[in-house]
Amino acid sequence: MPELAERSIHMLTKKRFKLVAAIVLVFTAFFSQAAVAYAAPKVLVFNHGKEIKAWDPSIDDSGGSFVIGNIFEGLMKDTKDGKLAPGQAEKYTISPDGLTYTFYLKPNITWSDGKPVTAKDFEYAWLRLLDPKAGSEYSYMGTSYIKNAKAFFDGKAKASEVGVKALDDKTFQVVLESKVPYFLNLTTFFSFMPVRKDIVEKYGDGWEKNPKTCISNGPFVLESYKIGDNLTIAKNPKYYDSKNVKIDKVKMVFVSDQTTALNAFNAGDIHVNPEIPPAEIPRLIAEEPNLVFTPRMQTAYIIFNVDKPPFNDVRVRKAFALALNRKAICESALKGGETPATGIVPPVLSLSTGESFRTLGKNGKPTTEYGIDPNAARVEEAQKLLAEAGYPNGKGFPKVTYTYVTRESLKKMSEAIQEMLKNNLNVKVELDNMEWQVLVDKRKRGDFIISGGNWTGDYADPMTFFDAYATDSSWNECQWRWKKSKVAPNDTVLNPEHKAFEQEILMAQKTSGTTRDEHLKNAEKILMDATPVSPLYYGNFCYLVNQDKVRDVWMNKVGEYKFWDAEMVQ
C-alpha cells in the first residue's frame, strides 16, 4: 500500500506540472501576440519650424506644402532618385502637337474614407484652382498654361471651356495653350492635387484642419493638429501602396527657435531638423556626420516696394543693391555654404543646352552680372546713384524699416545689411522682425517698404523664377505690374516696364530650345534692370537627420520633405 500511494502522488504531480506548463505557454503566446498588436507606433519627429497656416491643396500659399505632399497625391509623383513616376495616374498619352495630355487613373485608388478617386475629383480641383472666387495663391500656375484658363479667371470664359475635363471616371484630359516641356513636373505640384467637392462644399474653409473631414488620397492622413504645437500625420491604410510605407506616423513640431531646435535634436527628441543656428554650422560641418547639405532651387533677395518712396526711384533700388557685399553676408552672417547671387535664377537650373543658367567662373561660382560683383560691394557706383536720386552721401534720406522673418540666421543677415547700408551709403535703416505668415500677408497687401525674402522654385525650370512676377501672381509682392489685377487690389501704381517682362515670359512659354533660352534671359535682364528685387544669395538645403534612428527621408527638387520611404531604425 505505501508503494501504490507514492506512485499515485508522483503521477498526480506530473499531471499538475503539465497543466501549469500548458497554461504558461498559452499566456506566453497571448502576451506575445498582444505585444505585437500593441507595439509602440513608429513615429518620426520632424521640426517644421514655423506654424502651418493651412494645407488645402487648391488654396494654400505653400506654407503647408510639406503636409499636402504627404497626405495628397497628384497624377504624377516625385521619387527619391529625382525622377517622375506615375502617381494617381497609371499611364498617360501626349498628342503629337504636345498640347493634349490624357491621364488614365489607376483602377484601385481610393480616398481615405474608401470612396474611389475619380477624374471628376481632378477636374473639380483644377477648376477651383483657377476660379478667382476661391482666392488661390497659385492660380497663375494654371492660367499661364491651360487652354482658356486665363479667360476663365478673367470672367471671359465658362468653366466648361477650360482645357480640363473628366472624359469618364478614370480618364482626365488636359489641353494646353502651348507646348510646356515641364508640364508633367507641374502635375506633382501641390496645387494640382485632387480634392473632394462634397467635402469642400459641405465643411467650407478649414475643412482640411479637422482629421474627421480632411479626406485625402496620399500615403498618409491627418491624425491630429494642435495649433501652435504640432501636427501629426499617420499611415493611410487605404493608399494603394500602403504596404511599402514603413513608418506609422510623422509628428511635425513647430520649434522656430533654432537653438532650442538644435538642443532638442541633440537630446533625441527631434529626428529631422532643418532649423540650425548659423553660428553652429561651421562646427557641425567639421564634427556632425548627421548634417546634410544639398543644392537648392532657391534665391534669397531684398524686396523693394516699387510704388512707395524712396524706392519708387530705380536709382535708389540699384544703389541699395550695389552697396552690399554678398560674399561677406554669406560667409560672416549666414555661414551655411550659401553662394553669393548675381541674378534671379539659381545656378542649379539649366538652359536648353544643359549649361547652367548662370555664367560660372573656373571655381564653379557665379561671376559678375548685371553690375553685381558676387565678392564685393560696388560702393562708388552705389553712392553716385544715390546722389543722382537726390540723396548725396545719404543726406535727406527718409527713415525706412527693413522687415524680415523671425529667425536667428535672418537676424544676423539683416544686421549685416543694416551695417553695410550705413557704412557705404550713410543711410539709416531700422529693423523689424515678425512671423513668416504675418510678413507675407503684409507684403502682399503692399504694406511694407523694404523686406527680406526668398523664392524656392515650384518646378525644375527657370520659368518658376519668373512667373512669380506675373501680373496675376499674388507672389508679386514688390507690386511691380503694368496693369491692375484682381489678386492685388492695393497695387494701383503701374510700372510700364513690366509689360516687356511679361511679354518675354509669355514667349518663353510658347517657344523651345535656344529661342526659349533667349526669351528667358531677356526676361531676367528686364527684371534686374528694373530691380524690384535684388538677389543676395543662392541657398542650400542644410538639415540634421538622426541616422541612428531614421533613414530614407528625402527631399524633392523644390525642397519638400517626403516621408513615404522613411524607415525607423530599430
Side-chain angles (χ1 to χ4, degrees):
M1 289 294 293
E3 184 180 350
L4 180 61
E6 184 177 350
R7 187 162 57 248
S8 298
I9 292 171
H10 178 69
M11 291 177 65
L12 181 61
T13 301
K14 287 179 67 178
K15 287 180 179 180
R16 285 177 175 170
F17 176 79
K18 289 180 179 180
L19 177 61
V20 170
I23 291 171
V24 169
L25 286 172
V26 169
F27 273 91
T28 300
F30 173 78
F31 283 113
S32 295
Q33 292 176 0
V36 172
Y38 296 100
K42 300 170 183 176
V43 182
L44 186 156
V45 182
F46 168 76
N47 181 23
H48 190 273
K50 61 180 180 289
E51 171 75 83
I52 303 174
K53 177 184 176 183
W55 49 96
D56 180 335
S58 307
I59 309 300
D60 185 55
D61 63 359
S62 81
S65 62
F66 291 2
V67 180
I68 298 171
N70 284 282
I71 68 175
F72 290 90
E73 185 173 274
L75 296 165
M76 303 292 288
K77 66 179 180 180
D78 297 307
T79 62
K80 61 183 176 183
D81 59 1
K83 298 179 180 179
L84 286 179
Q88 297 287 282
E90 184 176 48
K91 60 181 181 179
Y92 62 88
T93 60
I94 307 174
S95 63
D97 62 6
L99 299 180
T100 303
Y101 287 70
T102 305
F103 297 91
Y104 302 89
L105 304 187
K106 287 181 169 71
N108 60 331
I109 51 176
T110 69
W111 292 96
S112 53
D113 63 356
K115 291 186 178 182
V117 176
T118 71
K120 275 287 185 184
D121 296 323
F122 280 94
E123 180 185 289
Y124 169 74
W126 286 36
L127 288 174
R128 183 170 176 249
L129 169 69
L130 301 171
D131 188 344
K133 295 178 182 177
S136 172
E137 300 284 356
Y138 278 95
S139 58
Y140 70 90
M141 293 278 282
T143 58
S144 299
Y145 308 107
I146 299 169
K147 187 175 180 62
N148 289 330
K150 181 66 167 63
F152 173 62
F153 183 84
D154 290 337
K156 299 176 181 178
K158 299 177 182 178
S160 59
E161 297 175 297
V162 178
V164 296
K165 191 174 294 295
L167 303 183
D168 56 43
D169 281 351
K170 291 296 179 180
T171 312
F172 180 61
Q173 190 172 85
V174 184
V175 182
L176 306 178
E177 290 281 3
S178 57
K179 290 178 66 174
V180 181
Y182 47 89
F183 177 70
L184 288 176
N185 294 81
L186 291 178
T187 67
T188 71
F189 189 62
F190 66 82
S191 295
F192 293 99
M193 294 182 181
V195 294
R196 277 259 295 277
K197 180 179 181 179
D198 59 324
I199 296 296
V200 173
E201 293 188 350
K202 181 177 181 180
Y203 297 104
D205 291 344
W207 63 271
E208 82 280 12
K209 297 178 183 178
N210 184 339
K212 294 181 180 178
T213 60
C214 185
I215 305 302
S216 59
N217 70 324
F220 298 89
V221 295
L222 178 67
E223 182 180 84
S224 64
Y225 172 49
K226 297 178 181 178
I227 297 175
D229 190 353
N230 70 79
L231 179 152
T232 300
I233 58 176
K235 181 177 177 178
N236 178 10
K238 301 290 186 181
Y239 182 59
Y240 65 87
D241 197 31
S242 64
K243 66 180 184 296
N244 289 318
V245 178
K246 301 180 181 66
I247 58 174
D248 298 314
K249 299 180 182 181
V250 179
K251 182 178 181 180
M252 299 185 184
V253 296
F254 311 141
V255 183
S256 59
D257 183 85
Q258 294 173 328
T259 300
T260 302
L262 179 59
N263 290 339
F265 176 84
N266 290 335
D269 298 327
I270 292 174
H271 300 131
V272 182
N273 176 45
E275 297 293 335
I276 305 171
E280 292 292 326
I281 291 177
R283 178 185 66 80
L284 293 172
I285 291 174
E287 303 174 1
E288 179 57 82
N290 289 315
L291 186 69
V292 177
F293 269 108
T294 186
R296 189 174 192 177
M297 287 195 304
Q298 184 195 62
T299 303
Y301 42 66
I302 290 178
I303 306 172
F304 301 105
N305 188 332
V306 299
D307 293 343
K308 288 188 176 182
F311 298 112
N312 59 341
D313 189 327
V314 67
R315 294 171 296 186
V316 175
R317 303 196 294 268
K318 285 182 174 293
F320 270 52
L322 295 177
L324 302 178
N325 185 328
R326 289 158 175 78
K327 182 179 181 182
I329 288 172
C330 291
E331 295 181 354
S332 301
L334 297 169
K335 303 179 181 180
E338 294 83 0
T339 301
T342 55
I344 202 68
V345 179
V348 294
L349 291 175
S350 303
L351 298 166
S352 64
T353 58
E355 298 173 294
S356 171
F357 196 93
R358 297 264 62 82
T359 300
L360 304 179
K362 293 181 180 180
N363 61 356
K365 302 292 185 181
T367 59
T368 299
E369 289 186 89
Y370 306 116
I372 294 177
D373 184 340
N375 301 311
R378 304 185 75 159
V379 179
E380 289 185 9
E381 293 176 50
Q383 291 175 344
K384 181 180 178 182
L385 284 166
L386 196 65
E388 290 175 359
Y391 307 105
N393 194 33
K395 185 178 180 181
F397 195 84
K399 182 173 67 177
V400 297
T401 300
Y402 180 95
T403 53
Y404 65 95
V405 174
T406 304
R407 187 173 296 173
E408 290 176 50
S409 58
L410 298 182
K411 181 176 185 292
K412 292 181 180 298
M413 184 185 76
S414 302
E415 289 172 343
I417 290 172
Q418 180 187 45
E419 184 177 4
M420 290 175 189
L421 293 173
K422 174 62 178 174
N423 293 340
N424 296 338
L425 294 180
N426 196 31
V427 298
K428 183 178 181 181
V429 175
E430 296 184 347
L431 302 180
D432 186 19
N433 67 91
M434 57 196 72
E435 293 303 311
W436 181 80
Q437 192 60 58
V438 175
L439 181 53
V440 167
D441 290 342
K442 285 176 70 68
R443 289 200 301 241
K444 287 181 178 178
R445 294 194 306 268
D447 184 19
F448 79 105
I449 192 162
I450 180 173
S451 183
N454 68 72
W455 186 257
T456 301
D458 296 320
Y459 49 92
D461 187 90
M463 183 62 77
T464 189
F465 283 86
F466 297 126
D467 57 18
Y469 300 99
T471 296
D472 291 325
S473 168
S474 65
W475 290 106
N476 191 346
E477 298 167 330
C478 44
Q479 314 299 308
W480 186 53
R481 294 176 176 86
W482 69 276
K483 62 179 179 179
K484 295 181 180 180
S485 173
K486 294 178 181 178
V487 304
N490 296 325
D491 187 3
T492 57
V493 180
L494 302 183
N495 310 98
E497 75 280 4
H498 181 264
K499 185 174 183 178
F501 167 82
E502 198 151 73
Q503 288 174 337
E504 291 292 344
I505 63 173
L506 180 63
M507 290 304 299
Q509 291 166 357
K510 295 181 176 180
T511 55
S512 60
T514 55
T515 300
R516 181 174 188 265
D517 294 341
E518 186 177 349
H519 288 300
L520 291 170
K521 283 287 189 179
N522 289 343
E524 185 178 63
K525 184 178 187 307
I526 294 169
L527 186 146
M528 293 296 295
D529 285 347
T531 321
V533 297
S534 181
L536 295 173
Y537 64 85
Y538 305 120
N540 289 317
F541 291 120
C542 176
Y543 57 101
L544 289 160
V545 179
N546 188 334
Q547 299 178 60
D548 292 331
K549 293 186 178 181
V550 65
R551 61 187 174 206
D552 289 334
V553 174
W554 55 275
M555 302 176 78
N556 66 4
K557 292 179 180 179
V558 303
E560 296 172 349
Y561 291 85
K562 303 298 183 183
F563 300 109
W564 55 72
D565 292 317
E567 186 173 3
M568 303 303 293
V569 180
Q570 299 298 319

